[in-house]
Amino acid sequence: MSFHVSRPCNTLKVPHVDLMLNIVSVLIGLVTLVLGLVAFMPLLGWLNWFVIPIGIVGAAVGALSSSNGGRNLNIVLIIIFALRLMLGGGII
C-alpha cells in the first residue's frame, strides 16, 4: 500500500523578496546605529526612546526574511541601547 503525500506549492515564495527584506532590515539597522550613536552623547539619552522602536521595526522586518543578519543586527542594537537607557535612568 502506498500513500501519496502532497507537498505545499512553493511558487508563492519569491526568493528575491526575502533578500530585499533582509537588505531593508540591515538599512533600518544602520539608521538605528547612527541615531543611537548620537544618543550616546551626554544629555541626548532621551533619543533612545525613539531609537529602540526603530530597531524593533527593523527586527520585525528581518524576521520576515529568510536570512538572520538584519534581524540579529537590530536585536543587538536594541539590547545595547536599552542598556544605555537603563544606565541613564530612563528605565528603572
Side-chain angles (χ1 to χ4, degrees):
M1 179 186 306
S2 83
F3 293 102
H4 175 61
V5 177
S6 64
R7 296 178 185 228
C9 181
N10 286 337
T11 58
L12 297 176
K13 190 168 185 169
V14 184
H16 67 277
V17 172
D18 284 338
L19 178 65
M20 292 301 288
L21 286 173
N22 191 40
I23 292 172
V24 168
S25 177
V26 169
L27 290 175
I28 292 172
L30 291 176
V31 169
T32 303
L33 178 63
V34 170
L35 290 174
L37 289 176
V38 172
F40 265 100
M41 292 183 160
L43 302 176
L44 292 177
W46 54 269
L47 190 59
N48 283 318
W49 285 105
F50 297 107
V51 172
I52 292 173
I54 295 171
I56 292 172
V57 170
V61 171
L64 295 174
S65 171
S66 62
S67 300
N68 294 334
R71 182 199 63 190
N72 293 344
L73 170 68
N74 284 296
I75 289 173
V76 168
L77 292 175
I78 291 167
I79 291 170
I80 290 171
F81 298 135
L83 286 173
R84 164 62 173 97
L85 196 58
M86 281 191 283
L87 289 174
I91 299 176
I92 296 176

